Amino acid sequence: MRPSNRALDQLRHIEIKTNVTRHAEGSCLIKCGDTHVLCTASVDERVPPFMKNSGLGWVTAEYGMLPRATHTRMRREAKNGQSGRTQEIQRLIGRSLRAGVDRVALGERQITVDCDVIQADGGTRCASITGGWVALSLAVQKLMAAGEIKTDPLVTPVSAISCGIYAGQPVLDLDYPEDSEAGVDGNFVMTGDGSLIEIQMSAEGSVFSRAQMDALLDLAEKGCTELTEAQLKAVGK
């Protein structure tokens, strides 16, 4: 029995509320059970120096956890003092979102997706990717409505979900009690058609078999399919 009483292949309750901030070109609050992340997308008509005059756009991301997002207060991270974990997660979010973008169609501009964890209960990086794509999509819709982009640069939704081996069973969408005790823990980033973008996976005390890996992939595909449906509904597609 899972601590949450969910079925082995059941997601936590997903809620995506859009346009939650006044100034960002795209924003949403995504709730995956008790993990809540505020995602905002900001458009800059300039690209980083290394992209200048390339004709290509750029999508990047920043990630952070508010001091009381967890059970005990964490110190607020300054940008130049970010932990290795924070830097790794925001790089993951950025490259995951870029995988679903036609950077030629985006034009020579940058969109920065900020993911701020308000409350953490496992799966914060996955929720950030899933909600980050919604914020990105809303920002792109504004650019298209203003005539600044002629062709939609978002070629596919991008979502992410965690899966793992808990109490000897492959399970979908680990919350913190499961994540902290899982024998195997993995994060799966996928496109809307089920193609893989990235897998981060490791044994946390016990090895796992090829059959278990296949079972986790099946769970991830099911979970990301459901997340894609929620994303498209949120952005009106």
Side-chain angles (χ1 to χ4, degrees), residues 222-237:
K222 177 183 183 295
C224 283
T225 296
E226 295 176 18
L227 290 174
T228 297
E229 291 173 358
Q231 288 174 311
L232 294 177
K233 181 178 180 181
V235 300
K237 293 186 178 181

Side-chain angles (χ1 to χ4, degrees), residues 29-171:
L29 175 63
I30 182 168
K31 297 182 178 180
C32 303
D34 284 332
T35 289
H36 302 170
V37 185
L38 173 65
C39 302
T40 57
S42 303
V43 178
D44 189 344
E45 292 301 324
R46 299 171 297 173
V47 290
F50 69 90
M51 295 293 302
K52 195 172 181 180
N53 299 321
S54 67
L56 299 174
W58 189 247
V59 175
T60 188
E62 293 192 10
Y63 166 96
M65 296 182 72
L66 298 185
R68 278 315 303 266
T70 54
H71 294 90
T72 56
R73 185 184 186 276
M74 301 177 299
R75 296 191 63 178
R76 198 180 299 273
E77 290 183 323
K79 187 173 181 180
N80 61 357
Q82 290 176 327
S83 68
R85 175 185 180 274
T86 294
Q87 294 180 54
E88 182 265 324
I89 290 175
Q90 62 191 23
R91 288 169 183 155
L92 167 67
I93 298 167
R95 63 179 177 264
S96 296
L97 295 177
R98 286 193 297 273
V101 175
D102 179 346
R103 291 166 54 207
V104 174
L106 181 60
E108 202 162 312
R109 58 175 52 84
Q110 175 174 277
I111 301 180
T112 301
V113 178
D114 288 289
C115 302
D116 293 291
V117 180
I118 299 172
Q119 182 171 282
D121 187 39
T124 61
R125 71 187 66 195
C126 294
S128 296
I129 292 169
T130 303
W133 184 87
V134 171
L136 176 63
S137 179
L138 294 172
V140 165
Q141 287 182 22
K142 278 194 175 180
L143 289 170
M144 294 187 68
E148 297 181 40
I149 294 178
K150 304 302 181 184
T151 303
D152 190 348
L154 300 187
V155 296
T156 179
V158 174
S159 62
I161 196 66
S162 64
C163 299
I165 307 295
Y166 173 78
Q169 293 288 333
V171 297

Side-chain angles (χ1 to χ4, degrees), residues 184-213:
V184 176
D185 182 17
N187 300 298
F188 298 77
V189 187
M190 306 182 78
T191 65
D193 65 2
S195 298
L196 290 165
I197 295 174
E198 186 160 340
I199 298 175
Q200 298 180 328
M201 195 163 183
S202 62
E204 302 284 348
S206 62
V207 297
F208 56 101
S209 67
R210 174 64 179 270
Q212 288 175 315
M213 177 66 180

